[in-house]
Amino acid sequence: MDLTRQLIYGVGEDDDIWQLAVTFEFDPTGFRGLKHGNKWCRSLEDLSQFREYVLASAPFAAGSQLQIRRTTLNYGCAG
């Protein structure tokens, strides 16, 4: 499970786009039957709706019942 935030500095050229990502690794058997997907939060105004979506999602429900194996934090240029 991964949460990523893009940070754009300047005019938004490739070198201006940075990402901060936190990845939670679980035993994959706890996620059997779940489909791949993603959801974008495009603005601060959308944050409340995005939070509700994440908290109500099947992957979040499945992950909240499992032990996290490893957590990884990455920050780098996405361009």
Side-chain angles (χ1 to χ4, degrees):
M1 184 178 298
D2 179 79
L3 296 171
T4 301
R5 174 70 172 125
Q6 285 190 335
L7 308 164
I8 301 174
Y9 302 100
V11 295
E13 298 294 325
D14 284 347
D15 290 341
D16 297 331
I17 302 172
W18 290 72
Q19 288 187 164
L20 176 63
V22 61
T23 303
F24 302 99
E25 184 180 307
F26 298 90
D27 179 352
T29 59
F31 293 95
R32 285 195 178 126
L34 294 179
K35 297 178 183 175
H36 174 79
N38 65 58
K39 178 76 171 171
W40 287 74
C41 181
R42 300 197 180 274
S43 69
L44 188 56
E45 290 78 24
D46 295 339
L47 184 58
S48 179
Q49 183 180 6
F50 176 75
R51 183 178 189 272
E52 289 177 23
Y53 172 86
V54 169
L55 294 177
S57 70
F60 186 85
S64 67
Q65 303 299 314
L66 301 171
Q67 181 71 33
I68 297 172
R69 285 175 155 176
R70 181 173 58 177
T71 304
T72 307
L73 184 65
N74 290 305
Y75 178 68
C77 184

